[in-house]
Structure formats: structure tokens, C-alpha cells
Amino acid sequence: MTDGDRFPPGTRVRTFPHDPPHHTRLPRYARGKHGVVVEPEGPAELADLSAQGRGDAPVEQIYAVRFAARDLWGEGDHHVVLDLWESYLESYEEETVRDR
């Protein structure tokens, strides 16, 4: 899907926590973290595969995703926006916090 409709602005997402054995444009500090889609940025070849010199890299939608700095590094009162390929993201609905 490359039309930007999968994650409209305001959609809560989670990045995948994977640690592939090859190049990826998903920063380690943002893996498995929750953010909010700001806007679609347009389609581009998936850098994970194109960086390997492969000619079969799929074209995916890139999304600007906002993360709270505190969620990424445990401190900070600002936000960070990362441009991330669609395959790095999944929809996320907040779970109900239960008494522990």
C-alpha cells in the first residue's frame, strides 16, 4: 500500500522491536516504541533492501511519526519526529492499565 491511507494522521502506532542482521533505517532507540502518525510523507523504496544493492526493494509509504523523548530515552519534555517506512509500524491501541 503506498497511498498513505493505512495510518492517517493521529493514528497511534508501535514500531517493531526487531533487530535484523542487516541495515535498517529504524533506529535502535525507537524499536518497540509507541508514537503518533503526524502525516504521510510519500512512497519510497524500502532502504533496508535497496542498501543491499538489491533491485527488488518494495516501494512503501513513509510516515512522519512523533515520539515523546521521555518514551525513547526515559527523560525529556520534547518530541522527536522520525520518518519511518510502513513495514516498521503496526497499529496500537492503548491497553487498559491494571492494578499490579
Side-chain angles (χ1 to χ4, degrees), residues 7-50:
F7 301 117
T11 302
R12 291 186 49 79
V13 293
R14 182 178 75 103
T15 61
F16 285 105
H18 70 290
D19 187 17
H22 54 74
H23 171 81
T24 182
R25 296 288 298 201
L26 176 57
R28 189 175 308 276
Y29 63 81
R31 295 177 191 169
K33 304 297 182 171
H34 301 112
V36 176
V37 171
V38 177
E39 63 184 355
E41 295 286 322
E45 283 189 353
L46 180 62
D48 297 37
L49 298 181
S50 63

Side-chain angles (χ1 to χ4, degrees), residues 1-14 35-41 61-66 86 89-93:
M1 181 179 295
T2 60
D3 59 10
D5 290 339
R6 181 169 177 210
F7 301 117
T11 302
R12 291 186 49 79
V13 293
R14 182 178 75 103
V36 176
V37 171
V38 177
E39 63 184 355
E41 295 286 322
Q61 179 65 38
I62 296 174
Y63 293 91
V65 181
R66 183 180 68 240
E86 186 171 301
L89 306 171
E90 64 183 358
S91 293
Y92 170 78
E93 296 296 327

Side-chain angles (χ1 to χ4, degrees), residues 49-97:
L49 298 181
S50 63
Q52 296 175 28
R54 296 172 51 171
D56 63 345
V59 173
E60 292 185 9
Q61 179 65 38
I62 296 174
Y63 293 91
V65 181
R66 183 180 68 240
F67 298 88
R70 184 172 310 280
D71 292 341
L72 297 177
W73 299 294
E75 61 182 311
D77 293 329
H78 61 285
H79 289 90
V80 175
V81 177
L82 300 174
D83 290 340
L84 301 174
W85 273 262
E86 186 171 301
S87 62
Y88 299 164
L89 306 171
E90 64 183 358
S91 293
Y92 170 78
E93 296 296 327
E94 284 191 71
E95 299 171 356
T96 303
V97 177

